[in-house]
């Protein structure tokens, strides 16, 4: 076990190293370009500068001389420099004022077909001498057909190389956004002689109310409300905990930990989004804490479902030989989730390819499926034990839990199907204004399941309802205790049983002890089998 754990920690460190290598910065609405290469496509070369949902600027009445961009939505270009190769610069004529062209193109996703020769069979992006005669375009430039409703879309900004200079500086420019939409930014050139050109600098994307990207704006409100919901649940649980503190079991402490982690997770995400909205950059410390808190909470939530399904504290006093297996799968799940969350939430929002994420999603999906199968397998055995022992109160409790869990699993499967359909039908993020419901649903589902567990396993004055008590002290023991108490109150004297009753009680105690020993042997054999 120790050897396996050390190997997992090595894998975890490798994943972290790989993740931080992928993350070049922690900016989101501020996209930084550090010697980025242009990619050939058709007869052009392009670099994708960013994609974000932007809301239309608010009324100009909010602006002031000190803050002219207050309430405005815009894309600002800062310190953008294009650097071509020395070979490309030397091949030009020093007497020419313009020896190379790089175009900056901003378009709304609905205008994507207005770039290039989209209405013909050709996939050409740049104007050629033949196309110049047919389309009245300029040779060496990207072909653009402007939107009749919005002549400025797609927007083209040109930057020229001069003489034999290797670099060309783009003028500081701020483009105001007056129509709500998903905007794409491309840097493109058509001249093959500029092959090998790189780009440096950054662009700043801002919505009217802050730097938070449009599709993430509703999530900040959601996380704020979710943290309040966890707070209300925590207060309810705390009152029950204090009221029946003498009757709490170990399972109650684990539920308390999950509630506290959930509240901390939602609060951290809210402050992380609020900071991103105010500054445009993700705060490294808060983001890592939020990501780690999410991974820990998800891991402990699954561990809680596992131990509850196994009957810990209800059917069995300990997990026995299963403890090491539970620890192992929890550690593996934490490692996989931490790596995935780091990649998804650090760095620029659209910097990482789908291929990179798939390699990190698959381990999480596999572990989730394994945990779900293990949970239902354990629930089946627990229900069988309780039915054989005729523990009706506990059997009813576990049946309610099993039915609730089955409903949540069916909802999860249905939502996964909807999520796949949503992503497949919206490859260009045209539905960005409602995409926030995808991550919000999973948080809401996890909270709802925790509420169900809190209701079913809430501390009460009747701990034998779910506490482990030798498995044979069910209804009979509770009735015997109440009967004895009633006799003592009524008579006020010690009742001495006759020899027959004493013998009967001894037989029952012996039977209970025998059943308890057999139950423990059965659990031990079951642990070995699993």
């Amino acid at each position: 076990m120790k050897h396996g754990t050390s190997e997992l920690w090595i894998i975890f460190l490798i994943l972290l190293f790989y993740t931080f290598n992928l993350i070049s910065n922690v900016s989101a609405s501020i996209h930084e370009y550090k010697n980025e290469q242009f990619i050939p496509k058709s007869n052009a070369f392009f670099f994708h500068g960013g994609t974000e949902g932007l809301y239309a600027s608010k009324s100009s009445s909010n602006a002031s001389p000190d803050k002219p961009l207050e309430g405005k939505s815009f894309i600002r270009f800062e310190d953008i420099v294009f650097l071509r190769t020395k070979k490309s610069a030397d091949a030009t004529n020093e007497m020419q004022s313009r020896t190379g062209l790089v175009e900056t193109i901003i378009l709304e996703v609905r205008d994507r077909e207005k770039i290039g020769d989209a209405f013909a069979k050709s996939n050409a992006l740049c104007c050629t001498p033949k196309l110049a005669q047919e389309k009245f375009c300029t040779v060496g430039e990207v072909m653009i057909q402007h939107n009749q409703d919005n002549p400025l879309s797609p927007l083209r900004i040109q930057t020229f190389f001069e003489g034999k200079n290797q670099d060309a500086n783009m003028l500081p420019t701020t483009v105001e956004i007056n129509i709500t939409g998903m905007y794409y930014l491309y840097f493109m050139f058509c001249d093959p002689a500029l092959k090998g050109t790189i780009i440096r600098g950054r662009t700043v994307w801002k919505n009217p109310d802050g730097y938070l990207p449009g599709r993430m704006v509703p999530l900040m409100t959601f996380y704020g409300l979710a943290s309040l919901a966890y707070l209300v649940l925590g207060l309810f649980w705390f009152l029950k905990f204090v009221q029946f503190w003498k009757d709490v079991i170990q399972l109650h402490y684990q539920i308390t930990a999950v509630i506290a982690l959930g509240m901390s997770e939602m609060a951290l995400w809210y402050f992380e989004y609020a900071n991103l909205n105010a500054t445009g950059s993700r705060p490294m410390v808060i983001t890592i804490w939020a990501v780690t808190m999410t991974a820990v909470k998800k891991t402990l939530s699954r561990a809680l479902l596992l131990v509850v399904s196994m009957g810990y504290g209800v059917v069995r006093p300990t997990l026995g030989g299963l403890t090491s297996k539970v620890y192992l799968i929890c550690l593996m799940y934490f490692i996989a989730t931490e790596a995935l969350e780091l990649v998804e939430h650090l760095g620029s929002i659209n910097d990482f390819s789908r291929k990179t994420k798939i390699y990190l999603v698959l381990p999480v999906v596999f572990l989730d499926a394994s945990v779900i199968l293990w949970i239902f397998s354990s629930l089946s055995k627990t229900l069988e034990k309780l039915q054989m022992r005729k523990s009706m109160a506990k059997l009813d409790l576990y049946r309610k839990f099993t039915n609730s869990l089955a409903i949540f699993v069916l909802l999860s499967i249905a939502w996964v199907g909807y999520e796949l359909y949503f992503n497949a039908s919206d490859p260009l993020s045209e539905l960005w204004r409602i995409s926030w419901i995808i991550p919000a649903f999973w948080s809401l589902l996890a909270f709802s399941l925790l509420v169900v567990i809190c209701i079913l396993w809430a501390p009460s004055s009747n701990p034998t309802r779910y506490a482990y008590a030798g498995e044979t002290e069910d209804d009979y023991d509770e009735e015997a205790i109440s009967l004895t108490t009633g006799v003592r109150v009524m008579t006020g004297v010690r009742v001495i049983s006759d020899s027959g009753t004493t013998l009967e009680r001894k037989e029952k105690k012996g039977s209970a002890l025998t059943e308890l020993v057999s139950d423990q042997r059965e659990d031990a054999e079951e642990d070995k089998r699993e």
Side-chain angles (χ1 to χ4, degrees):
M1 178 62 189
K2 290 182 178 179
H3 179 67
T5 303
S6 63
E7 289 181 350
L8 285 173
W9 277 111
I10 292 173
I11 295 173
F12 176 57
L13 293 175
I14 293 173
L15 279 174
L16 283 182
F17 178 76
Y18 172 69
T19 300
F20 281 108
N21 275 342
L22 287 174
I23 301 166
S24 59
N25 54 66
V26 291
S27 61
S29 287
I30 300 176
H31 296 263
E32 294 191 10
Y33 317 125
K34 300 180 179 179
N35 298 330
E36 309 289 351
Q37 298 282 343
F38 283 75
I39 300 171
K41 183 175 182 180
S42 183
N43 62 340
F45 294 82
F46 86 103
F47 170 71
H48 184 196
T51 302
E52 285 189 22
L54 295 173
Y55 292 96
S57 300
K58 292 183 178 179
S59 174
S60 58
S61 60
N62 297 328
S64 63
D66 296 335
K67 297 180 178 179
L69 295 175
E70 187 72 22
K72 299 292 185 181
S73 182
F74 61 81
I75 302 174
R76 185 169 62 227
F77 298 86
E78 298 180 351
D79 303 322
I80 299 293
V81 179
F82 305 105
L83 185 66
R84 59 182 172 181
T85 62
K86 190 174 185 303
K87 179 180 178 182
S88 176
D90 291 341
T92 60
N93 188 342
E94 188 175 3
M95 301 303 294
Q96 292 180 345
S97 58
R98 296 180 175 182
T99 56
L101 170 64
V102 179
E103 297 183 274
T104 302
I105 299 174
I106 301 173
L107 71 151
E108 206 269 327
V109 66
R110 290 173 293 186
D111 295 331
R112 62 188 180 276
E113 292 185 352
K114 297 185 181 300
I115 299 294
D117 196 18
F119 294 99
K121 294 182 179 180
S122 171
N123 292 323
L125 294 173
C126 296
C127 184
T128 61
K130 181 179 179 181
L131 290 172
Q133 296 176 357
E134 299 174 358
K135 306 290 183 180
F136 301 102
C137 55
T138 303
V139 177
E141 293 184 1
V142 176
M143 291 183 290
I144 293 179
Q145 299 176 17
H146 291 286
N147 190 331
Q148 294 179 354
D149 298 329
N150 183 15
L152 295 178
S153 179
L155 178 65
R156 184 206 312 260
I157 303 174
Q158 296 182 331
T159 304
F160 292 92
F161 287 94
E162 297 181 358
K164 290 183 174 293
N165 293 341
Q166 278 190 258
D167 58 342
N169 297 302
M170 181 179 177
L171 293 175
T173 306
T174 300
V175 178
E176 185 175 335
I177 304 298
N178 294 313
I179 297 177
T180 299
M182 175 62 69
Y183 284 85
Y184 282 69
L185 170 63
Y186 294 113
F187 297 96
M188 306 178 68
F189 62 83
C190 298
D191 188 356
L194 293 178
K195 183 178 180 181
T197 299
I198 59 176
I199 178 175
R200 299 173 184 169
R202 70 177 192 169
T203 54
V204 178
W205 304 56
K206 187 178 182 296
N207 269 296
D209 296 319
Y211 293 96
L212 201 62
R215 57 185 169 180
M216 297 171 67
V217 169
L219 278 175
M220 184 172 70
T221 304
F222 171 79
Y223 286 135
L225 294 175
S227 62
L228 291 177
Y230 271 100
L231 179 61
V232 172
L233 178 62
L235 288 174
F236 162 78
W237 185 259
F238 177 75
L239 291 175
K240 285 286 186 180
F241 204 91
V242 172
Q243 185 180 0
F244 305 106
W245 66 273
K246 291 184 179 179
D247 300 317
V248 299
I249 59 177
Q250 185 66 31
L251 187 62
H252 292 141
Y253 291 100
Q254 297 176 356
I255 296 174
T256 303
V258 174
I259 294 174
L261 283 170
M263 183 169 56
S264 302
E265 176 199 10
M266 294 296 106
L268 279 171
W269 279 122
Y270 174 79
F271 287 117
E272 198 265 356
Y273 275 45
N275 188 289
L276 171 58
N277 191 49
T279 64
S281 296
R282 305 192 97 142
M284 174 70 86
V285 175
I286 296 179
T287 304
I288 290 180
W289 268 107
V291 165
T292 304
M293 195 70 68
T294 298
V296 172
K297 195 212 69 170
K298 286 183 176 180
T299 302
L300 286 185
S301 298
R302 282 149 182 78
L304 177 63
L305 290 175
L306 264 177
V307 299
V308 167
S309 303
M310 292 175 182
Y312 173 67
V314 180
V315 176
R316 56 204 304 170
T318 65
L319 295 180
L322 295 176
T323 305
S324 58
K325 296 180 180 179
V326 172
Y327 281 145
L328 180 62
I329 198 167
C330 286
L331 180 60
M332 292 171 62
Y333 189 85
F334 172 77
I335 292 171
T337 306
E338 179 79 359
L340 177 62
E341 294 288 335
L342 282 173
V343 166
E344 285 191 340
H345 293 97
L346 289 178
S348 294
I349 292 172
N350 61 340
D351 275 354
F352 305 108
S353 65
R354 295 178 183 269
K355 186 177 180 181
T356 303
K357 289 184 179 180
I358 286 175
Y359 286 124
L360 296 173
V361 166
L362 288 178
V364 177
V365 172
F366 174 77
L367 289 171
D368 265 328
S370 301
V371 169
I372 290 173
L373 290 175
W374 196 359
I375 285 172
F376 279 100
S377 175
S378 300
L379 274 174
S380 176
K381 293 175 183 177
T382 301
L383 289 170
E384 186 179 352
K385 284 183 181 180
L386 292 173
Q387 195 165 10
M388 290 177 60
R389 296 166 185 173
K390 297 182 179 179
S391 303
M392 302 311 296
K394 297 175 183 178
L395 182 61
D396 182 61
L397 179 70
Y398 266 85
R399 278 177 176 168
K400 290 179 180 177
F401 175 68
T402 303
N403 293 336
S404 301
L405 193 60
I407 292 173
F408 281 107
V409 170
L410 289 176
L411 285 174
S412 300
I413 294 173
W415 191 256
V416 168
Y418 171 75
E419 189 173 342
L420 291 173
Y421 166 78
F422 184 89
N423 291 329
S425 61
D426 187 37
L428 299 174
S429 301
E430 294 179 86
L431 302 176
W432 59 277
R433 276 181 282 189
I434 62 172
S435 63
W436 66 274
I437 65 173
I438 299 296
F441 174 83
W442 294 112
S443 298
L444 184 61
L445 191 70
F447 176 78
S448 302
L449 183 56
L450 183 58
V451 169
V452 170
I453 292 176
C454 289
I455 293 173
L456 293 177
W457 270 270
S460 68
S461 57
N462 183 19
T464 56
R465 179 166 62 97
Y466 39 64
Y468 178 84
E471 303 302 337
T472 56
E473 302 174 4
D474 290 321
D475 298 337
Y476 166 78
D477 288 344
E478 293 176 18
E479 292 172 4
I481 292 172
S482 60
L483 178 62
T484 305
T485 305
V487 171
R488 288 181 181 175
V489 171
M490 291 173 61
T491 62
V493 296
R494 182 177 180 182
V495 179
I496 303 175
S497 303
D498 57 19
S499 58
T501 306
T502 304
L503 179 60
E504 184 180 352
R505 287 183 179 178
K506 286 183 178 179
E507 288 176 355
K508 288 181 178 180
K509 287 182 180 179
S511 175
L513 182 62
T514 303
E515 290 184 17
L516 177 60
V517 172
S518 65
D519 290 342
Q520 291 177 344
R521 288 177 178 174
E522 181 183 342
D523 290 340
E525 292 175 359
E526 183 182 329
D527 294 344
K528 290 179 181 179
R529 288 197 300 270
E530 294 184 0

